[in-house]
Amino acid sequence: GHTTGPSLNNDKMYKFAYSSEVFVDRVEAPLERSAGFRISSGVDVNLLWRNPDNDDDQLIKVTIRDVQVENVNERPDTKSIFKGKSTEKIIGKNYLEALQRPIILQLTRGKVKNFYSYQNEPGLVQNLKRGLASLFQVQLHSGAVREVDVSGECNVTYQVRQDQVTKIKALDSCEIAKTGFTSPYQILDVGTKVTSATIYVLEDSFIKSIKAEENYAFFLNSRRKTNAKIVSKQRLELKSVHAGPGLVAAKQVAGVIQTLDSRYVALPLVAETVHAECKKCPSLSEHWQTIKKHLHPENLSKAEATRSFLSLIQNLRKATKEEILQILKSEKKELLPQLVDAVTSAQTPASLEAMLEFLDFKNKESAILQERFLYACGFASHPNEMLLKSLTTKFQGEIANEEIRETVVIVMGALIRKLCDRDGCKLPAVVEAKKLILGRLERAKKGDNVKMYLLALKNARLPEAIPLLLKHAESEDGAISSIATTALQRYDASFLTKEVKKTMNRIYHQSRRVHEKTVRTTAAAVILNGNPSYMEVKNILLSIGELPAEMNKYMLSIIQDIIHFEMPASKTVRKVLKDMRAHNYERFARTGSSSAYSGYMTRGPDLSSTYGLDILYSGSGILRRSNLNIHIFNRNAQLHASQVVIEAQGLETIIAATPDEGEENLDSFAGMSAILFDVQLRPVTFFQGYGDLMSKMLSATGDPMNVVKGLILLTDYSQVMQLQSGLRASAEFQGGLSIDISGGMEFSLWYRESKTNVKNRGAMFTAGNIVVDSLFVKAGMETSLEIETTLDFISTVQFSQYPFLVCMQMDRVESPFRRYMTKYESLPSGRRYTSKRAKVELVAGSEYPLHQENSNMCRKVFSTESDSSSNWF
């Protein structure tokens, strides 16, 4: 009769040669240089039973024999980990015996309908048998189908040409129990490419040969040259056919199985989860003792600090709450903040419970640790509902330190955003946190509370918060309207409705009331970044010339920057300028020191980064606001890597100058606000009020104030792959940043000079670890890259004459960029083959060429500076 699947002849024994190989290496490397191993054996197949009512329903017996484990590539004896070891020694007696026990397959129309094996065999052995059994599944007509095999339930396409069948499996469609996570920022995540193809050659209605190959490729989106691949190959070839045992007489399948061995059971063909136990891994406390020296505060801008931080997270993810508490409770003060960064970044239920038990929010003394915990929550790479719920509960409880209370709610905003970005906006904890923030903002009476909830919304960026932000944008309190407008600035242009534009135009043109310059310029930025209309642009251009002196110059710079940097609004701006030629000259010949400028920091095939620097002064020459933004982006996504804003107001009294219109009654204040990796941090105050200012000026050491210090987990990718051969592979990429940002502001009344300085020091370390672990042999590769760098931004203002001299410098120091790669093969006994490569290059320093006008001014500032001694006060 006609069969739709392969068919065996009665009374025959088919003898095959079988091999399963794995290779691990960089994507572009040739396979003959790769690390890996091969498991090979003979396979005997014979027909046990054919259904009397259906030729296409058969039971076959499959037996693995003569197993060998060997190098996948030629290695000299000195470099072979298998040299002089028998298979039994490598695999272990129990595993080998189990592997050689036969399996029974029920093949119905070419598909494996049932897989019979012994119940209590080790998971790994069963999976290797499933990998072999899945090869026998083939359909003899073309078409697409959903099919279950060792990889799970997958979409499979068959193409049949005479005696050859090609089977393409879409691995990313496979449904199988998966563990793992990806990074929140696409730019810093890992890209993957997976393929699987099997070619069958048939002869005399049965299998002559099978060749299967699957490929997994992984690459860092930020640097595609940092990559890895796993190639898995299986081959089954018919060697000979002999006379074999006869058929078993029976009506049903159950009868045949009973006759053969009653201990056979039908098991799923999908692979089961197998956990590799680490025999010689150090305990958490042992590991901590060996690395903690690298995590001293003064070592934080070194790559070794970040490397230690990442390895500690790996270990913490396996630890219990008790083990974690033990090291937290016994550690010295200066190491605790770094330890808190790592424990929080581990993001396991045990690590979160340990932190919540360790930190006492009712205690003012441990505020620094509470803050580090909260920021690490804000930067969490895969936050869950539990984390947000814990913070909401803390916020509703007693918190001794007011700044910590603010930080809790600001971080809740960041977590709401991250969970919403992952389709978690309707989770109960997210709904509750949103309700709490929006509800309390509506009822808030105290200015400080209003600011705190607005900062939380600046992180959460909820569409439903826009009406509330608009209401506060027109507040009479400058600080409140400033936060509300900068929050609107962070929304995607698609959310900037007519209503938003109307309000921003009212603020900029002061149609209802006088607003501070900082708020008006932010409103203008919202308009210009949100697909502005012709009239909106025209009205802004017409206002230049009617504004306070320095604001004229600032707005002019903003317009020029839009054109020079080809921003989205540049087309409209050019069109308006063309039509307004008549009254351009006198309007655009504005003097002043304020400026705005954007440029590229790096441009590469995978990743580019830009900086934007804008500075606004008051008419008396004192800094009102400096704003440095860094964005990184690729073809598909962008990320706001950092923003450092220094704001000052009400300082005119010190130099007996006249304040600008509408700013006569401002309280003396200076402070700094930062956004780091899309998370708005709690703003820091340098001084507040005239008394505080004078006492700080008289004791001014010019020492910078620390704004952010710590370790951040940026790339966090972990996946386990079930290979077709039955083996399991894992890919983990972790990338971290140790960061130290400080800022300061100094005055010299004597030389009528002020300086602001922002220093960004940091080290980045990224490591990828790709492993195929068969429990008795392991092959893998580790790849890593590290860079240490410092970015300084200094602005010096001399206000002894008008227009005053301003010099801005942005420098990046020369920094080493190191890459390492190790490939290895190892046995549990510790025998190991390793091949290593390293490359170090220097990335040249750079002085960023802000703009011509600035370069001219710096020359003047430095010529006058040399005349005066550098002694302050």
Side-chain angles (χ1 to χ4, degrees), residues 324-363:
I324 298 172
L325 276 170
Q326 188 197 338
I327 61 167
L328 281 167
K329 286 177 173 165
S330 56
E331 201 37 78
K332 290 202 293 292
K333 216 169 160 182
E334 67 264 25
L335 284 169
L336 271 174
Q338 290 72 262
L339 189 51
V340 167
D341 287 340
V343 174
T344 314
S345 301
Q347 300 169 74
T348 62
S351 67
L352 177 60
E353 283 170 26
M355 282 314 309
L356 293 171
E357 187 171 317
F358 175 67
L359 293 174
D360 175 9
F361 283 78
K362 297 189 183 82
N363 174 359

Short mmCIF file of all heavy atoms in Angstrom, two decimals, residues 324-363:
data_model
loop_
_atom_site.label_atom_id
_atom_site.label_comp_id
_atom_site.label_asym_id
_atom_site.label_seq_id
_atom_site.Cartn_x
_atom_site.Cartn_y
_atom_site.Cartn_z
N ILE A 324 22.79 36.14 51.46
CA ILE A 324 22.95 37.55 51.08
C ILE A 324 22.98 38.43 52.33
O ILE A 324 23.83 39.31 52.48
CB ILE A 324 21.83 37.99 50.11
CG1 ILE A 324 21.91 37.17 48.80
CG2 ILE A 324 21.94 39.48 49.80
CD1 ILE A 324 20.75 37.37 47.84
N LEU A 325 22.05 38.18 53.26
CA LEU A 325 21.99 38.98 54.49
C LEU A 325 23.29 38.85 55.28
O LEU A 325 23.75 39.81 55.89
CB LEU A 325 20.80 38.56 55.35
CG LEU A 325 19.47 39.22 54.97
CD1 LEU A 325 18.32 38.56 55.71
CD2 LEU A 325 19.50 40.73 55.27
N GLN A 326 23.84 37.66 55.25
CA GLN A 326 25.07 37.42 56.02
C GLN A 326 26.21 38.35 55.56
O GLN A 326 26.89 38.95 56.39
CB GLN A 326 25.47 35.95 55.85
CG GLN A 326 26.61 35.51 56.75
CD GLN A 326 27.23 34.21 56.26
OE1 GLN A 326 26.61 33.44 55.53
NE2 GLN A 326 28.47 33.97 56.65
N ILE A 327 26.39 38.50 54.23
CA ILE A 327 27.49 39.39 53.82
C ILE A 327 27.10 40.87 54.00
O ILE A 327 27.95 41.69 54.30
CB ILE A 327 28.04 39.11 52.39
CG1 ILE A 327 26.99 39.29 51.30
CG2 ILE A 327 28.71 37.76 52.28
CD1 ILE A 327 27.61 39.33 49.91
N LEU A 328 25.81 41.21 53.83
CA LEU A 328 25.40 42.61 54.03
C LEU A 328 25.64 43.05 55.48
O LEU A 328 26.09 44.15 55.74
CB LEU A 328 23.91 42.78 53.70
CG LEU A 328 23.52 42.87 52.21
CD1 LEU A 328 22.03 42.73 52.04
CD2 LEU A 328 23.99 44.19 51.59
N LYS A 329 25.33 42.13 56.41
CA LYS A 329 25.40 42.50 57.83
C LYS A 329 26.84 42.53 58.35
O LYS A 329 27.10 43.12 59.39
CB LYS A 329 24.56 41.53 58.67
CG LYS A 329 23.06 41.79 58.50
CD LYS A 329 22.22 40.80 59.28
CE LYS A 329 20.75 41.21 59.22
NZ LYS A 329 19.87 40.12 59.63
N SER A 330 27.78 41.89 57.63
CA SER A 330 29.13 41.83 58.18
C SER A 330 30.10 42.75 57.44
O SER A 330 31.28 42.73 57.72
CB SER A 330 29.64 40.39 58.12
OG SER A 330 29.57 39.93 56.78
N GLU A 331 29.61 43.56 56.48
CA GLU A 331 30.53 44.36 55.67
C GLU A 331 30.77 45.77 56.24
O GLU A 331 29.92 46.34 56.89
CB GLU A 331 30.01 44.44 54.22
CG GLU A 331 31.07 44.79 53.21
CD GLU A 331 32.44 44.18 53.50
OE1 GLU A 331 32.66 42.98 53.24
OE2 GLU A 331 33.30 44.93 54.00
N LYS A 332 31.97 46.30 55.92
CA LYS A 332 32.35 47.64 56.37
C LYS A 332 31.59 48.72 55.60
O LYS A 332 31.16 48.51 54.47
CB LYS A 332 33.86 47.85 56.18
CG LYS A 332 34.72 47.02 57.11
CD LYS A 332 36.12 47.61 57.26
CE LYS A 332 36.93 47.56 55.98
NZ LYS A 332 37.31 46.20 55.56
N LYS A 333 31.54 49.91 56.22
CA LYS A 333 30.75 51.01 55.71
C LYS A 333 31.07 51.41 54.27
O LYS A 333 30.17 51.63 53.46
CB LYS A 333 30.97 52.21 56.63
CG LYS A 333 29.75 53.06 56.83
CD LYS A 333 30.01 54.04 57.96
CE LYS A 333 29.04 55.22 57.88
NZ LYS A 333 29.33 56.17 58.93
N GLU A 334 32.38 51.50 53.93
CA GLU A 334 32.70 52.06 52.61
C GLU A 334 32.39 51.11 51.46
O GLU A 334 32.28 51.52 50.32
CB GLU A 334 34.16 52.55 52.53
CG GLU A 334 35.20 51.47 52.59
CD GLU A 334 35.73 51.27 54.01
OE1 GLU A 334 35.01 51.60 54.97
OE2 GLU A 334 36.86 50.78 54.14
N LEU A 335 32.23 49.81 51.75
CA LEU A 335 31.92 48.86 50.68
C LEU A 335 30.43 48.60 50.54
O LEU A 335 29.97 48.10 49.51
CB LEU A 335 32.64 47.53 50.93
CG LEU A 335 34.14 47.56 50.62
CD1 LEU A 335 34.82 46.32 51.15
CD2 LEU A 335 34.38 47.67 49.13
N LEU A 336 29.68 48.95 51.58
CA LEU A 336 28.24 48.64 51.54
C LEU A 336 27.48 49.25 50.37
O LEU A 336 26.67 48.56 49.74
CB LEU A 336 27.57 49.03 52.86
CG LEU A 336 27.58 47.93 53.93
CD1 LEU A 336 27.05 48.46 55.25
CD2 LEU A 336 26.75 46.72 53.49
N PRO A 337 27.72 50.54 50.01
CA PRO A 337 26.95 51.08 48.88
C PRO A 337 27.11 50.25 47.60
O PRO A 337 26.14 49.99 46.89
CB PRO A 337 27.52 52.49 48.71
CG PRO A 337 28.04 52.84 50.06
CD PRO A 337 28.57 51.55 50.64
N GLN A 338 28.36 49.81 47.31
CA GLN A 338 28.61 49.02 46.09
C GLN A 338 27.93 47.64 46.20
O GLN A 338 27.41 47.11 45.22
CB GLN A 338 30.11 48.83 45.87
CG GLN A 338 30.84 50.10 45.46
CD GLN A 338 30.99 51.10 46.59
OE1 GLN A 338 30.21 52.05 46.70
NE2 GLN A 338 31.97 50.89 47.44
N LEU A 339 27.94 47.09 47.41
CA LEU A 339 27.31 45.79 47.63
C LEU A 339 25.79 45.90 47.43
O LEU A 339 25.16 45.04 46.82
CB LEU A 339 27.64 45.29 49.04
CG LEU A 339 27.25 43.86 49.40
CD1 LEU A 339 27.75 42.87 48.36
CD2 LEU A 339 27.81 43.48 50.78
N VAL A 340 25.24 47.02 47.90
CA VAL A 340 23.80 47.27 47.73
C VAL A 340 23.46 47.39 46.24
O VAL A 340 22.46 46.84 45.77
CB VAL A 340 23.37 48.54 48.52
CG1 VAL A 340 21.97 49.00 48.09
CG2 VAL A 340 23.40 48.26 50.02
N ASP A 341 24.32 48.07 45.46
CA ASP A 341 24.11 48.16 44.00
C ASP A 341 23.99 46.76 43.40
O ASP A 341 23.10 46.48 42.59
CB ASP A 341 25.31 48.85 43.30
CG ASP A 341 25.36 50.35 43.57
OD1 ASP A 341 24.33 50.92 43.94
OD2 ASP A 341 26.45 50.93 43.41
N ALA A 342 24.91 45.87 43.79
CA ALA A 342 24.96 44.53 43.20
C ALA A 342 23.78 43.67 43.65
O ALA A 342 23.13 43.02 42.82
CB ALA A 342 26.27 43.85 43.55
N VAL A 343 23.49 43.69 44.94
CA VAL A 343 22.38 42.85 45.45
C VAL A 343 21.06 43.27 44.80
O VAL A 343 20.27 42.44 44.35
CB VAL A 343 22.28 42.93 47.00
CG1 VAL A 343 21.03 42.18 47.49
CG2 VAL A 343 23.53 42.35 47.66
N THR A 344 20.85 44.59 44.69
CA THR A 344 19.59 45.08 44.09
C THR A 344 19.53 44.73 42.60
O THR A 344 18.48 44.35 42.09
CB THR A 344 19.47 46.60 44.28
OG1 THR A 344 19.79 46.92 45.64
CG2 THR A 344 18.06 47.07 44.00
N SER A 345 20.68 44.82 41.91
CA SER A 345 20.70 44.55 40.47
C SER A 345 20.51 43.06 40.17
O SER A 345 20.20 42.71 39.04
CB SER A 345 22.03 45.01 39.86
OG SER A 345 22.19 46.40 40.08
N ALA A 346 20.73 42.19 41.16
CA ALA A 346 20.55 40.75 40.92
C ALA A 346 19.08 40.44 40.60
O ALA A 346 18.78 39.51 39.86
CB ALA A 346 21.02 39.96 42.13
N GLN A 347 18.16 41.21 41.18
CA GLN A 347 16.72 41.13 40.83
C GLN A 347 16.12 39.74 40.98
O GLN A 347 15.33 39.31 40.13
CB GLN A 347 16.49 41.64 39.39
CG GLN A 347 16.92 43.07 39.21
CD GLN A 347 16.95 43.50 37.76
OE1 GLN A 347 15.90 43.70 37.16
NE2 GLN A 347 18.12 43.63 37.18
N THR A 348 16.49 39.02 42.02
CA THR A 348 15.82 37.74 42.31
C THR A 348 14.92 37.97 43.52
O THR A 348 15.13 38.92 44.28
CB THR A 348 16.85 36.64 42.67
OG1 THR A 348 17.55 37.04 43.85
CG2 THR A 348 17.84 36.41 41.54
N PRO A 349 13.91 37.12 43.72
CA PRO A 349 13.07 37.29 44.91
C PRO A 349 13.91 37.30 46.20
O PRO A 349 13.66 38.10 47.10
CB PRO A 349 12.13 36.07 44.86
CG PRO A 349 12.07 35.71 43.40
CD PRO A 349 13.42 36.03 42.85
N ALA A 350 14.94 36.44 46.25
CA ALA A 350 15.78 36.37 47.46
C ALA A 350 16.55 37.68 47.68
O ALA A 350 16.65 38.17 48.81
CB ALA A 350 16.77 35.21 47.35
N SER A 351 17.07 38.27 46.59
CA SER A 351 17.87 39.49 46.76
C SER A 351 16.97 40.66 47.17
O SER A 351 17.36 41.49 47.99
CB SER A 351 18.65 39.83 45.48
OG SER A 351 17.79 40.18 44.43
N LEU A 352 15.76 40.73 46.64
CA LEU A 352 14.84 41.81 47.02
C LEU A 352 14.43 41.67 48.49
O LEU A 352 14.44 42.65 49.25
CB LEU A 352 13.61 41.84 46.10
CG LEU A 352 12.54 42.89 46.44
CD1 LEU A 352 13.11 44.31 46.38
CD2 LEU A 352 11.33 42.78 45.50
N GLU A 353 14.09 40.45 48.88
CA GLU A 353 13.70 40.24 50.28
C GLU A 353 14.85 40.58 51.23
O GLU A 353 14.63 41.19 52.28
CB GLU A 353 13.27 38.77 50.50
CG GLU A 353 11.87 38.49 49.98
CD GLU A 353 11.55 36.99 49.97
OE1 GLU A 353 12.15 36.26 50.79
OE2 GLU A 353 10.73 36.57 49.15
N ALA A 354 16.08 40.21 50.85
CA ALA A 354 17.24 40.52 51.69
C ALA A 354 17.40 42.03 51.84
O ALA A 354 17.61 42.54 52.95
CB ALA A 354 18.50 39.90 51.09
N MET A 355 17.25 42.77 50.74
CA MET A 355 17.41 44.24 50.80
C MET A 355 16.34 44.87 51.68
O MET A 355 16.62 45.75 52.48
CB MET A 355 17.32 44.86 49.40
CG MET A 355 18.55 44.73 48.52
SD MET A 355 20.12 45.10 49.28
CE MET A 355 19.81 46.67 50.00
N LEU A 356 15.09 44.42 51.51
CA LEU A 356 13.99 45.03 52.28
C LEU A 356 14.15 44.75 53.77
O LEU A 356 13.77 45.55 54.61
CB LEU A 356 12.63 44.54 51.75
CG LEU A 356 12.28 45.00 50.33
CD1 LEU A 356 11.04 44.29 49.82
CD2 LEU A 356 12.09 46.52 50.27
N GLU A 357 14.72 43.59 54.09
CA GLU A 357 14.94 43.27 55.50
C GLU A 357 16.14 44.04 56.05
O GLU A 357 16.15 44.48 57.19
CB GLU A 357 15.15 41.75 55.67
CG GLU A 357 15.20 41.33 57.13
CD GLU A 357 15.20 39.81 57.29
OE1 GLU A 357 14.42 39.13 56.58
OE2 GLU A 357 15.98 39.32 58.11
N PHE A 358 17.17 44.21 55.22
CA PHE A 358 18.41 44.84 55.66
C PHE A 358 18.25 46.35 55.88
O PHE A 358 18.79 46.93 56.81
CB PHE A 358 19.51 44.56 54.63
CG PHE A 358 20.81 45.26 54.92
CD1 PHE A 358 21.57 44.91 56.03
CD2 PHE A 358 21.28 46.27 54.07
CE1 PHE A 358 22.78 45.56 56.31
CE2 PHE A 358 22.49 46.91 54.34
CZ PHE A 358 23.23 46.55 55.46
N LEU A 359 17.50 47.01 54.98
CA LEU A 359 17.38 48.47 55.07
C LEU A 359 16.23 48.86 55.99
O LEU A 359 15.13 48.33 55.86
CB LEU A 359 17.11 49.06 53.68
CG LEU A 359 18.25 48.95 52.66
CD1 LEU A 359 17.77 49.45 51.31
CD2 LEU A 359 19.48 49.74 53.11
N ASP A 360 16.50 49.81 56.86
CA ASP A 360 15.44 50.29 57.75
C ASP A 360 15.12 51.73 57.37
O ASP A 360 15.88 52.65 57.69
CB ASP A 360 15.93 50.20 59.21
CG ASP A 360 14.91 50.79 60.17
OD1 ASP A 360 13.79 51.09 59.71
OD2 ASP A 360 15.25 50.96 61.35
N PHE A 361 14.01 51.92 56.68
CA PHE A 361 13.65 53.25 56.19
C PHE A 361 13.24 54.19 57.33
O PHE A 361 13.09 55.39 57.13
CB PHE A 361 12.56 53.16 55.12
CG PHE A 361 13.09 52.72 53.78
CD1 PHE A 361 13.38 51.39 53.52
CD2 PHE A 361 13.34 53.64 52.78
CE1 PHE A 361 13.88 50.99 52.29
CE2 PHE A 361 13.84 53.26 51.54
CZ PHE A 361 14.12 51.93 51.29
N LYS A 362 13.03 53.64 58.53
CA LYS A 362 12.68 54.49 59.68
C LYS A 362 13.95 55.10 60.27
O LYS A 362 13.89 55.92 61.18
CB LYS A 362 11.95 53.67 60.75
CG LYS A 362 10.61 53.10 60.27
CD LYS A 362 9.84 52.48 61.45
CE LYS A 362 8.55 51.83 61.01
NZ LYS A 362 8.75 50.48 60.49
N ASN A 363 15.12 54.67 59.75
CA ASN A 363 16.39 55.13 60.29
C ASN A 363 17.04 56.13 59.34
O ASN A 363 17.30 55.83 58.19
CB ASN A 363 17.29 53.89 60.49
CG ASN A 363 18.69 54.27 60.91
OD1 ASN A 363 19.03 55.44 61.06
ND2 ASN A 363 19.52 53.26 61.09
#
